[in-house]
Amino acid sequence: MNLKVKPFTLFLYVVVLLVILLGWPALSKNLRNLPDPLEPLFRKKSEWTGLITLWNVNFIDCGTGSNTRWLNLQVERFEKQNPGVFIDVRNITPSRMKMYFQGNERENVLPDIIALPVYEDIIPHNLLVDLDEFFNQEDLKKLNPVAYKHVVRNGKMIGVPYMMGAYAILFNLQLAHEKGVIISEGQLDYTFLDSAVRTMTFTEKAGKSEKRYYGFCTYSEPYSRPLLSIIHGNQGKIVDERAYGYLIQWNKAGAFPPGMMDFSYNQAWDLFAGQGRVGAMLANTRAIYQMRALQQSGNGFEIAVKALPADKNGMFLDQVAAFGILRTDNPKKLELCVSFLKGLLEDSAQQELKIIGMFPVMNSVGDIYTDDPQMHQLETSLKNFVYGPSDEQALRLLENQYDKLKEELNVQAIDH
């Protein structure tokens, strides 16, 4: 019996055959790249298995809230690479962290890995492992200098920095356009900033009522002091007398809202973004992402983002996050803790900081915000920061000057 194949059916056979032949190389490559479902069964377990505890304290703000999403990705990756080892992340507040270091029974409740504060020495240094022996000099040279100095005390490396933030000046473009202020491309300088701040300081009258607009606003919180980056750095001096002088003059011109030196971030943000009564706000990257969220919801306004006016001799930055390891009698567990912290510095982990609006501490990673002009200029500006809270002499002088500035501003404040 002869079977006849219709021409159309034969055509379909030929098409399918061609698709298989042409697509097989790519298909076979994808199949090879698929994870082996049996691989976890044969992966060698660590010599030590168990639970590693980590206390995560958000001492610095991230662009998108907190570091939790990024940290969970790194924990998941580490646990896959080390079967039988689990990391228990506990998010706690700075005040709760302080409480645990005040009692006599702290050794029973303290974690294996802990976040390091920005300014305070909450954790006794003798409780932290000196990590120098686990890092070679070539690795350390790849770290941003400010980030590295942040974890060095008395010649010992007490922790591992893993991300950085930055400060920027955000201009209210709506207010700027109304007052004829043109924000040009390129590096921001104090001469332009002085002019813009003064121009955007005014009182608007509507009938019998008045509405005051301020040219400049910022905030001061325990772990974020943006103004220290403004008053620092000029021709090798600890305090930039020129910038300091501008702040005094702006205050005399009524460019600051009353009580600004004690503002929280939320107070400054409400005045800038909520009420639209501030021309320029000095803030961290959180403000950039919050404004983007407002714009996506149909609110907010357009902003121009500028890196701080920089001097070649360096500036002050307190936005560095780091983890330390508390002493343990278990060398295998210590090795795993070190391995986890080293993993935070790998290229893939550092590049993923983009998802939370933060910057790498590893110079070797390169730029991760080339497609985001606002963040990219801040990324580029990180090389201008060379001092931080770990530079005790610089910090002491800056804080003394900051207290003096606060006193002068309070005395000279103009109540509008």
Side-chain angles (χ1 to χ4, degrees):
M1 179 178 180
N2 293 326
L3 295 176
K4 292 184 179 181
V5 179
K6 294 182 179 180
F8 181 71
T9 304
L10 181 61
F11 171 74
L12 287 179
Y13 288 157
V14 172
V15 170
V16 171
L17 181 60
L18 287 173
V19 169
I20 292 174
L21 291 175
L22 294 174
W24 177 251
L27 179 61
S28 61
K29 181 180 179 180
N30 290 333
L31 290 174
R32 287 196 301 270
N33 290 334
L34 288 175
D36 183 354
L38 299 179
E39 191 267 339
L41 299 178
F42 298 100
R43 187 182 295 157
K44 184 180 178 181
K45 285 192 173 184
S46 304
E47 294 185 40
W48 180 89
T49 57
L51 189 68
I52 293 173
T53 55
L54 183 153
W55 283 4
N56 183 42
V57 185
N58 285 292
F59 287 111
I60 67 175
D61 288 328
C62 294
T64 57
S66 75
N67 68 345
T68 302
R69 184 156 58 120
W70 176 82
L71 188 59
N72 287 341
L73 285 175
Q74 313 319 314
V75 168
E76 182 181 352
R77 183 176 295 145
F78 179 81
E79 290 178 345
K80 286 182 179 179
Q81 295 170 348
N82 298 274
V85 180
F86 303 93
I87 297 183
D88 179 26
V89 177
R90 181 180 179 186
N91 293 301
I92 64 172
T93 62
S95 58
R96 182 168 290 275
M97 178 179 174
K98 291 179 185 179
M99 180 192 71
Y100 282 114
F101 283 93
Q102 293 173 351
N104 296 324
E105 301 298 325
R106 62 188 180 200
E107 289 81 2
N108 298 326
V109 296
L110 293 183
D112 302 299
I113 301 174
I114 191 166
L116 299 182
V118 175
Y119 285 99
E120 304 167 283
D121 282 332
I122 298 174
I123 310 164
H125 292 171
N126 64 330
L127 293 182
L128 293 165
V129 175
D130 182 358
L131 300 174
D132 272 316
E133 65 177 289
F134 300 101
F135 291 84
N136 60 52
Q137 289 302 310
E138 291 302 314
D139 290 334
L140 298 180
K141 288 179 181 178
K142 296 177 183 177
L143 284 168
N144 180 289
V146 174
Y148 177 56
K149 284 197 292 183
H150 179 65
V151 297
V152 175
R153 297 290 188 280
N154 300 320
K156 295 182 179 180
M157 185 177 177
I158 61 172
V160 176
Y162 63 90
M163 73 176 182
M164 299 178 69
Y167 291 121
I169 295 180
L170 283 65
F171 287 94
N172 180 335
L173 285 182
Q174 180 177 323
L175 204 57
H177 291 159
E178 289 177 4
K179 305 303 292 184
V181 175
I182 300 175
I183 316 295
S184 60
E185 299 292 331
Q187 177 70 46
L188 181 67
D189 61 59
Y190 280 113
T191 301
F192 170 80
L193 183 59
D194 178 49
S195 174
V197 168
R198 291 175 181 274
T199 302
M200 291 187 287
T201 299
F202 62 98
T203 299
E204 184 179 76
K205 294 184 178 181
K208 295 183 179 180
S209 63
E210 293 184 345
K211 189 175 184 180
R212 183 68 178 178
Y213 289 82
Y214 303 99
F216 185 91
C217 185
T218 189
Y219 56 93
S220 180
E221 294 189 328
Y223 307 105
S224 180
R225 304 172 189 176
L227 274 180
L228 293 186
S229 290
I230 287 287
I231 65 176
H232 177 274
N234 182 42
Q235 298 177 355
K237 298 179 180 179
I238 295 298
V239 177
D240 185 341
E241 296 175 0
R242 176 188 53 176
Y244 184 89
Y246 278 132
L247 292 172
I248 297 297
Q249 293 303 315
W250 292 346
N251 186 64
K252 289 181 178 179
F256 299 155
M260 182 193 75
M261 296 296 283
D262 293 316
F263 273 12
S264 67
Y265 172 88
N266 288 336
Q267 286 176 294
W269 176 251
D270 176 65
L271 201 60
F272 175 74
Q275 302 179 42
R277 294 171 56 202
V278 172
M281 178 180 177
L282 170 61
N284 55 29
T285 57
R286 176 184 175 189
I288 299 173
Y289 284 85
Q290 279 191 307
M291 182 56 75
R292 290 176 180 179
L294 283 176
Q295 292 169 353
Q296 290 177 356
S297 66
N299 300 303
F301 45 80
E302 291 296 322
I303 59 172
V305 176
K306 289 291 183 180
L308 305 185
D311 185 87
K312 63 181 180 180
N313 294 296
M315 300 174 69
F316 182 91
L317 181 68
D318 58 12
Q319 297 298 280
V320 179
F323 287 121
I325 301 175
L326 294 176
R327 292 190 177 278
T328 175
D329 295 327
N330 189 326
K332 297 300 179 183
K333 188 176 187 180
L334 173 59
E335 287 180 13
L336 286 164
C337 290
V338 172
S339 177
F340 174 73
L341 295 189
K342 281 189 171 184
L344 303 184
L345 301 180
E346 291 180 358
D347 287 357
S348 58
Q350 290 285 287
Q351 290 164 357
E352 287 170 344
L353 286 168
K354 187 175 182 179
I355 66 177
I356 56 172
M358 298 302 280
F359 303 103
V361 296
M362 297 295 289
N363 294 327
S364 56
V365 173
D367 296 340
I368 65 174
Y369 288 98
T370 54
D371 60 342
D372 186 335
Q374 291 181 338
M375 291 292 288
H376 182 55
Q377 66 166 310
L378 302 186
E379 184 174 43
T380 303
S381 75
L382 288 176
K383 66 180 182 295
N384 298 323
F385 296 95
V386 298
Y387 294 100
S390 57
D391 297 279
E392 294 182 5
Q393 181 182 5
L395 178 62
R396 184 168 60 252
L397 290 172
L398 284 171
E399 288 187 323
N400 288 340
Q401 199 72 3
Y402 184 83
D403 290 340
K404 179 183 176 183
L405 175 67
K406 182 176 180 179
E407 183 179 347
E408 288 191 46
L409 264 56
N410 285 337
V411 169
Q412 300 172 0
I414 300 174
D415 188 359
H416 296 281

